[in-house]
Amino acid sequence: IERWLDGLRVGPQTWNGRRAAVAALFKFCQRKKLLAEGLTEAERVPKRKVPSKPVEIFTAEQMRKLLAGIDPTMVPYAVLGAFVGLRPSEAAATTWDLVNLDEGFVEVVSEHKTGCRFVPLQPVAKAWLEPFRGARLKHMEDGQLCYSGVVASRKLSLAARELGIVDEWPEDVLRHSYGSYRLSVIANKARLAEEMGNSIAVIDKHYRRPIPPARGIDWFEILPEF
């Protein structure tokens, strides 16, 4: 289990989340009498320490380079993180029936403690998603926007390294970029907390760095050239 988790090449917070998911699966198997009672092997794997440090974000230039260089099948996933602020798991779970491009919102079905929510689609997100409306992307089932979270994260991480954007994919960098730039534009922590499915305390903890509004505006003007 630990070797598999290490192979995901994710940060400690996501690493712990994946570990917890495996532990939950084993507990389910115990309830179904498929595993013996007691401490499961997943629970024996030590949690990783999550360092307290400022979140990492992309610049508008880095995001433009990423969107221009990735496989088209990865664009919706990247857009849902960078311009809608979804968690990787939420982006991967989003299907076209949850996206309302005409009225401009996404219904987020989340297993997070905040539950489901409706998130507005900024014009930049609508512009990037519109060309994919109704299209069935290769290797995906009807209605899917994205690969699974693990596959999508690994594909983006590999692409970012190949494009020379980063050496290692920063933890939740697309979502953190959205939160940082969105706050610089709207200057409203409560509104951002509602959009991102967080508490105001979490918003204050992660997105306190002063970012000029002009940089936030530039982020949300990364429009497609096609």
Side-chain angles (χ1 to χ4, degrees):
I1 294 170
E2 192 164 0
R3 284 198 300 271
W4 172 73
L5 289 169
D6 287 339
L8 298 179
R9 300 177 66 89
V10 296
Q13 186 167 332
T14 300
W15 197 97
N16 289 339
R18 298 285 189 266
R19 171 195 172 277
V22 176
L25 172 62
F26 283 13
K27 286 297 184 182
F28 171 80
C29 291
Q30 286 181 331
R31 293 196 298 272
K32 295 296 183 179
K33 308 301 182 183
L34 300 174
L35 285 178
E37 295 296 325
L39 196 67
T40 67
E41 291 303 318
E43 292 173 303
R44 294 180 190 277
V45 175
K47 293 182 180 179
R48 291 288 169 87
K49 183 178 180 180
V50 180
S52 178
K53 61 178 183 180
V55 297
E56 295 186 60
I57 63 176
F58 279 160
T59 64
E61 180 181 355
Q62 287 175 312
M63 193 63 204
R64 288 188 179 94
K65 188 174 182 179
L66 182 69
L67 287 169
I70 60 176
D71 187 282
T73 60
M74 294 302 304
V75 169
Y77 178 85
V79 167
L80 290 176
F83 303 131
V84 188
L86 302 195
R87 298 178 176 88
S89 60
E90 294 170 344
T94 300
T95 50
W96 278 110
D97 60 304
L98 300 174
V99 179
N100 191 323
L101 289 174
D102 296 322
E103 297 184 30
F105 67 85
V106 175
E107 181 180 353
V108 182
V109 180
S110 178
E111 296 181 355
H112 195 262
K113 61 184 179 181
T114 54
C116 301
R117 65 189 188 279
F118 293 90
V119 182
L121 281 174
Q122 304 305 314
V124 62
K126 294 174 66 174
W128 280 101
L129 291 176
E130 182 64 45
F132 296 93
R133 187 205 291 246
R136 178 175 176 175
L137 302 179
K138 62 180 180 180
H139 309 309
M140 296 188 194
E141 299 295 329
D142 285 336
Q144 277 189 288
L145 269 77
C146 314
Y147 294 99
S148 70
V150 173
V151 173
S153 294
R154 293 183 69 174
K155 282 180 172 289
L156 274 187
S157 176
L158 177 60
R161 294 197 301 273
E162 290 179 342
L163 292 167
I165 298 172
V166 291
D167 294 327
E168 287 294 331
W169 185 260
E171 183 83 11
D172 281 353
V173 64
L174 299 182
R175 175 174 163 86
H176 288 323
S177 297
Y178 172 87
S180 299
Y181 292 122
R182 180 76 169 141
L183 186 60
S184 76
V185 173
I186 63 175
N188 188 322
K189 294 177 184 177
R191 183 175 168 186
L192 182 62
E194 184 176 349
E195 290 180 2
M196 299 187 71
N198 277 332
S199 66
I200 296 178
V202 170
I203 297 297
D204 191 52
K205 175 183 177 181
H206 288 318
Y207 309 120
R208 289 183 298 175
R209 73 171 72 184
I211 295 179
R215 287 183 58 194
I217 292 172
D218 189 31
W219 179 263
F220 290 101
E221 289 183 348
I222 304 174
L223 297 172
E225 296 182 357
F226 49 73

